[in-house]
Amino acid sequence: MAENTKKQGSSRYEKKKPVVKPKPKSTSHWFRNSVLVFMVGSGFLLVSYLGYLDYNVRAQFEGKRWAIPARVYASPVELYAGYNLTAAKFEELLSALHYRQEVHLSSEGTYFRNGAQISVKTREFTFWDQKQPSTVIRVNFNASGIANIVDATQTQDLAIVRLDPVQIGSFYPAIKEDRILIKLEEAPDALIKGLLASEDRDFYQHIGISFKGIARALWMNTLAGHTVQGGSTITQQLVKNFYLTSERSLTRKIKEALMALILEYRYSKDEILEAYLNEIYLGQDGASAVHGFGLASEFYFGSALKDLPLEHIASLIALVRGPSEYDPRRYAERSVQRRNLVLEKMHEEGYITKQQLAKATAKPLNVIANTHRSTNRYPGFLDLVKRQLRQDYKEQDLTSEGLRIFTTLDTRIQDTLEATVINKLNQLEKLPKANGLEAAAVVTRRDGGEIAALVSGREVSSAGFNRALDAVRPIGSLIKPVVYLTALEYPNKYTITTPVSDSAIFIKGANGNDWSPKNYDHQEHGMVSLHSALAHSYNLATVRIGMDVGVARVAKTLRSMGITRPVDLFPSFLLGASAHTPMEVAEIYQTLAGDGFSTPLKGIRAVVAADGARLQSYPFTVRQVLDPAVTYIVNTMLQEVMREGTGRSAYSAFPANYGLVGKTGTTNDAKDSWFAGYTGDYLSVVWIGRDDNKPAGLTGATGALQVWTSLMKQISTQPVTLIQPDNIKMAWIDPANGLLANEHCAGAKVYPFVAGSTPDDYSPCVDAPANSFETLINGLLPNN
């Protein structure tokens, strides 16, 4: 026990072990690690972001940089001595081509008028078949048109001069931007120097952003008390236009600077400058944005960039700071001030002399009128062009590859057609029951089937339902020449003078669909000659002929003339119950105008790639589908329609010997008014009616023929001369009995017959000689 006590007591004297407290954790390591993680993460994000920006910069800059819309051109005007064109109309044409008046003709696309003489410096232009250089010509006019054309550089007469064509429209991508691409070496030296002097004098020294330029801009703006100078480099401006939106924010400016650095690292200064010249936004042409100096030159001055004088180049450079603020058409004074400032900066940098400065600043702006060159001026015709192009090209090709499409449109004829349609519809609506009228018309060149003009509706300047291509309406009596063509293919049975019965006819149809047609005048005319039946558009005689040869046979003739639309083989087909578009009707009558040879109607001549390579041509194609002799006979019958029949009112505007060929068409209840016919140079089809298919109150003669006559009087210069085929024989016929006659028989006329189908017997008015018929008429027959 004592021992235990001792042990317990001795513990008091033992040295106590010190208590070790845990050291507080150091925060320096945690902070350092966090910063390190942050920096690594930020660096990774920055590198990733820079990689992303680098990818985007390269993808767009090295790939397809711009979607260039296809440009659509009208048929070029060809000038020659004798061309029916007045000096005033020629000036209108030059205005449409954006030529500007200038006494000295110092650049392409300029002209000057001195009385009856107009001097022109034409533009260099690459057509589908050749490149035409610029030249200076003098066009002299007299009372009838162009007297002669002189090459002013060689003082010799020119046989023909082809002007650069009018641009009538463009096919745009989703973003409506337009530009004319230029190479850096094509840019005028004054343009490059002017940009460097006014926008970025350190361009060839900085790395994409210019700290010197920023400092200079801050200093100048501080002194002025407001923003007078920007610090953005040309590279930054390109980034802003090419890659970014117009948003104004710090993050966008940082992004702009980073992309500018990448652009400078990846590409040469010249590559950047060339892209800038083509990308910079310089104005607005209606709904289309004008980008690049190439297009801006034509938009504001009507000239190629390479031909601009110093003062015009400075005006374009002035637009860089704000196309709307310095628009020379809206703010001329402000534009002049900015232009002169650009010129002064060029002088300060030693790029131009003091004399050049004084001369350029003294010049007026001299911009051309804004005629909205990118506007699709003729939407109906352009719709046709686009449909024909889609047979060979994808939509993306039409809106991004910079194709140049040369069409067959004649702007003079198109403008005349539009004005005529509007004027005549206004007049016709003053008649009783004629209201709410619409119209469609197609004009072709008789010799080749090229479409010279097209109107798709009364509102000629707006797109919408294209009646010329899509309005499928019954064609009425326009079908009758097809019936007579079919009958005359049987010359042993039908000739031009064959008597036919124009009397009531009853046709029993299937399922009780009986039909008893009537004449328009509700009269019967008894026995009439074949040519009289067509000339006076007798329904009853036509139905009898058609039923005799067969409805299916008539439909086959129609298909041979270019119609692919299915038709119902009912008897009413013989009187035009079959519905077709004005374009299809033009195809039918083009075959008649082509003497039995079918020529597909076309609106395009050629398609050329942006680099000038010819991609597609639309050559003249023709094939014989009708007997030329039969076609000749029907055409002479259609001439009788115009002289004595339903189309005779047209001769109030034409000489009696003009040889007009045509046919009126009217449908039930006067719902559709049609006329189709041709002169020596043009064929035209006109339809008038209402979109709701209610009666229009017009016949073919009182409606469509009035438009046709007014139009053709204005555009046609050639009468019709029908070419007589070898197997056509002409014969004098006594109209009283349809027998052979001579010039001494009262009322006798000369008619064409397929060889071997002339009558065998002589009329009593002829003391029949013993010699042959050919001897009888030799030397007596006029040339039809």
Side-chain angles (χ1 to χ4, degrees):
M1 189 172 179
E3 188 177 345
N4 287 339
T5 304
K6 185 178 178 181
K7 284 181 180 181
Q8 289 176 356
S10 65
S11 66
R12 297 174 192 172
Y13 303 101
E14 289 180 358
K15 190 174 181 180
K16 291 184 178 180
K17 293 180 179 180
V19 177
V20 179
K21 295 183 179 180
K23 291 182 179 179
K25 232 174 184 181
S26 172
T27 60
S28 61
H29 295 296
W30 175 85
F31 179 75
R32 184 180 61 229
N33 291 341
S34 298
V35 170
L36 184 61
V37 170
F38 175 77
M39 290 179 67
V40 171
S42 298
F44 175 77
L45 291 176
L46 178 60
V47 170
S48 300
Y49 183 62
L50 288 173
Y52 165 76
L53 292 180
D54 180 63
Y55 171 79
N56 285 337
V57 166
R58 289 187 293 113
Q60 189 163 343
F61 202 85
E62 295 174 5
K64 184 178 175 182
R65 299 184 192 176
W66 298 287
I68 308 298
R71 289 185 175 80
V72 188
Y73 297 96
S75 181
V77 173
E78 295 182 334
L79 307 175
Y80 52 87
Y83 184 41
N84 182 23
L85 182 70
T86 65
K89 288 293 184 182
F90 186 44
E91 276 199 283
E92 289 181 12
L93 172 62
L94 293 174
S95 177
L97 288 169
H98 305 284
Y99 278 62
R100 55 190 174 83
Q101 290 198 56
E102 185 187 293
V103 176
H104 302 294
L105 303 180
S106 60
S107 61
E108 295 180 12
T110 55
Y111 77 96
F112 176 70
R113 180 174 180 177
N114 182 16
Q117 183 184 88
I118 297 180
S119 299
V120 183
K121 186 168 187 179
T122 66
R123 294 192 186 103
E124 177 185 285
F125 193 85
T126 302
F127 291 91
W128 62 93
D129 55 352
Q130 66 177 10
K131 184 174 183 178
Q132 183 170 287
S134 171
T135 184
V136 178
I137 61 172
R138 289 195 299 268
V139 185
N140 297 298
F141 295 86
N142 55 29
S144 59
I146 295 178
N148 70 323
I149 306 172
V150 179
D151 184 335
T153 59
Q154 301 180 13
T155 61
Q156 63 181 18
D157 282 1
L158 296 171
I160 192 167
V161 172
R162 183 161 61 175
L163 295 178
D164 51 304
V166 175
Q167 183 179 333
I168 59 173
S170 301
F171 297 142
Y172 287 98
I175 300 175
K176 294 194 69 175
E177 294 182 355
D178 200 359
R179 55 178 55 79
I180 294 175
L181 297 182
I182 61 170
K183 296 184 180 299
L184 183 61
E185 56 266 27
E186 298 171 346
D189 186 56
L191 175 62
I192 304 301
K193 290 177 177 177
L195 284 170
L196 296 178
S198 64
E199 295 300 318
D200 191 354
R201 67 181 69 173
D202 302 320
F203 174 70
Y204 281 99
Q205 287 76 45
H206 62 62
I207 59 172
I209 56 176
S210 174
F211 299 104
K212 182 180 176 182
I214 293 171
R216 181 169 55 244
L218 287 173
W219 175 250
M220 295 297 293
N221 294 339
T222 302
L223 290 178
H226 58 92
T227 302
V228 295
Q229 185 172 326
S232 294
T233 64
I234 281 178
T235 312
Q236 287 175 281
Q237 291 180 38
L238 174 61
V239 168
K240 182 170 60 177
N241 278 265
F242 202 44
Y243 297 101
L244 304 177
T245 67
S246 57
E247 174 197 2
R248 292 191 175 188
S249 65
L250 179 60
T251 56
R252 197 201 69 89
K253 288 295 292 183
I254 294 173
K255 186 177 181 181
E256 175 189 299
L258 292 174
M259 294 181 82
L261 292 171
I262 293 170
L263 205 59
E264 290 273 353
Y265 175 74
R266 290 289 185 185
Y267 305 103
S268 71
K269 290 287 186 178
D270 285 351
E271 287 177 302
I272 293 170
L273 186 56
E274 181 177 277
Y276 177 85
L277 294 177
N278 288 301
E279 173 58 25
I280 191 69
Y281 171 67
L282 294 172
Q284 196 73 25
D285 184 11
S288 173
V290 176
H291 284 261
F293 288 95
L295 181 61
S297 175
E298 293 193 1
F299 178 61
Y300 291 105
F301 300 107
S303 295
L305 183 62
K306 64 182 178 63
D307 296 316
L308 288 189
L310 175 61
E311 66 272 11
H312 289 167
I313 290 175
S315 293
L316 294 182
I317 296 171
L319 291 166
V320 171
R321 287 299 175 91
S324 57
E325 184 177 359
Y326 297 107
D327 186 339
R329 295 190 179 102
R330 297 179 61 192
Y331 308 111
E333 184 178 349
R334 192 184 300 168
S335 179
V336 168
Q337 291 175 351
R338 180 64 194 172
R339 179 201 69 179
N340 291 349
L341 180 59
V342 171
L343 291 167
E344 288 172 6
K345 288 181 176 294
M346 294 179 71
H347 175 58
E348 290 173 6
E349 294 296 317
Y351 294 142
I352 61 175
T353 66
K354 190 172 183 179
Q355 289 75 17
Q356 288 176 306
L357 172 64
K359 183 179 178 181
T361 53
K363 292 291 182 70
L365 286 172
N366 203 21
V367 293
I368 61 173
N370 185 2
T371 54
H372 293 297
R373 60 187 299 121
S374 62
T375 301
N376 291 338
R377 294 168 55 185
Y378 308 114
F381 180 81
L382 286 168
D383 182 26
L384 164 70
V385 169
K386 200 163 191 178
R387 294 189 196 193
Q388 292 188 344
L389 285 170
R390 281 174 179 156
Q391 298 174 19
D392 301 301
Y393 298 93
K394 298 177 181 178
E395 183 74 17
Q396 184 178 359
D397 296 334
L398 298 179
T399 59
S400 66
E401 296 297 331
L403 302 180
R404 291 189 299 153
I405 299 152
F406 295 94
T407 74
T408 60
L409 185 83
D410 185 321
T411 56
R412 290 181 65 207
I413 294 178
Q414 178 70 31
D415 292 341
T416 302
L417 174 60
E418 291 181 357
T420 302
V421 166
I422 293 171
N423 181 50
K424 283 297 179 181
L425 288 188
N426 289 338
Q427 291 180 16
L428 292 172
E429 286 190 332
K430 295 177 182 178
L431 299 173
K433 300 180 181 179
N435 56 77
L437 299 178
E438 270 296 350
V442 179
V443 181
T444 69
R445 295 179 179 87
R446 182 195 169 194
D447 59 357
E450 292 182 332
I451 299 168
L454 182 148
V455 161
S456 59
R458 189 167 186 166
E459 295 296 327
V460 295
S461 61
S462 61
F465 181 56
N466 195 326
R467 296 167 185 82
L469 306 182
D470 300 324
V472 183
R473 305 290 289 243
I475 64 174
S477 294
L478 292 188
I479 195 67
K480 289 178 180 174
V482 183
V483 177
Y484 289 78
L485 279 167
T486 308
L488 288 165
E489 288 178 353
Y490 303 94
N492 294 331
K493 188 171 187 179
Y494 288 101
T495 70
I496 191 170
T497 57
T498 298
V500 293
S501 175
D502 186 61
S503 58
I505 181 172
F506 179 83
I507 300 173
K508 191 169 183 61
N511 302 322
N513 296 322
D514 301 335
W515 186 50
S516 180
K518 306 293 181 185
N519 278 327
Y520 183 77
D521 60 3
H522 297 283
Q523 302 293 318
E524 297 177 25
H525 304 95
M527 296 303 293
V528 297
S529 62
L530 195 82
H531 64 86
S532 292
L534 180 58
H536 298 284
S537 203
Y538 292 153
N539 291 340
L540 301 178
T542 301
V543 171
R544 286 183 177 277
I545 296 168
M547 293 301 294
D548 182 48
V549 299
V551 175
R553 185 67 187 81
V554 176
K556 182 179 178 182
T557 302
L558 182 67
R559 285 194 293 272
S560 72
M561 299 174 80
I563 299 303
T564 57
R565 185 184 300 277
V567 297
D568 294 324
L569 300 181
F570 298 127
S572 58
F573 165 77
L574 301 170
L575 295 183
S578 178
H580 298 282
T581 67
M583 182 65 76
E584 290 171 331
V585 173
E587 192 80 57
I588 297 170
Y589 278 79
Q590 187 70 40
T591 306
L592 284 169
D595 301 319
F597 290 83
S598 175
T599 305
L601 303 184
K602 63 178 182 179
I604 307 170
R605 281 186 172 165
V607 178
V608 176
D611 62 1
R614 188 167 178 172
L615 299 179
Q616 189 90 8
S617 60
Y618 296 79
F620 175 75
T621 58
V622 62
R623 62 188 179 92
Q624 183 179 337
V625 297
L626 299 174
D627 183 344
V630 170
T631 308
Y632 178 84
I633 295 172
V634 171
N635 278 330
T636 61
M637 295 164 70
L638 292 175
Q639 286 183 321
E640 186 177 346
V641 169
M642 303 303 290
R643 286 194 311 268
E644 305 171 17
T646 56
R648 61 187 179 276
S649 68
Y651 272 107
S652 63
F654 285 91
N657 62 348
Y658 214 73
L660 299 174
V661 180
K663 185 70 186 76
T664 55
T666 310
T667 59
N668 291 340
D669 301 321
K671 292 180 179 179
D672 301 278
S673 170
W674 287 92
F675 188 84
Y678 64 88
T679 61
D681 40 8
Y682 295 105
L683 178 146
S684 300
V685 173
V686 179
W687 167 85
I688 296 177
R690 291 173 53 126
D691 285 342
D692 59 10
N693 205 30
K694 291 181 179 180
L698 299 168
T699 66
T702 61
L705 176 58
Q706 304 305 308
V707 175
W708 186 92
T709 302
S710 177
L711 169 70
M712 297 298 265
K713 176 62 177 175
Q714 297 176 78
I715 68 173
S716 178
T717 60
Q718 298 177 20
V720 177
T721 302
L722 296 177
I723 300 174
Q724 181 179 316
D726 292 339
N727 61 335
I728 282 289
K729 300 299 180 182
M730 308 299 293
W732 288 95
I733 300 294
D734 184 347
N737 51 35
L739 300 178
L740 291 174
N742 60 31
E743 79 279 14
H744 302 297
C745 292
K749 294 183 178 179
V750 177
Y751 291 98
F753 292 83
V754 175
S757 67
T758 55
D760 295 324
D761 299 323
Y762 290 94
S763 172
C765 69
V766 178
D767 184 11
N771 55 359
S772 67
F773 174 68
E774 285 76 14
T775 302
L776 173 68
I777 65 171
N778 185 36
L780 299 178
L781 299 181
N783 185 356
N784 196 43

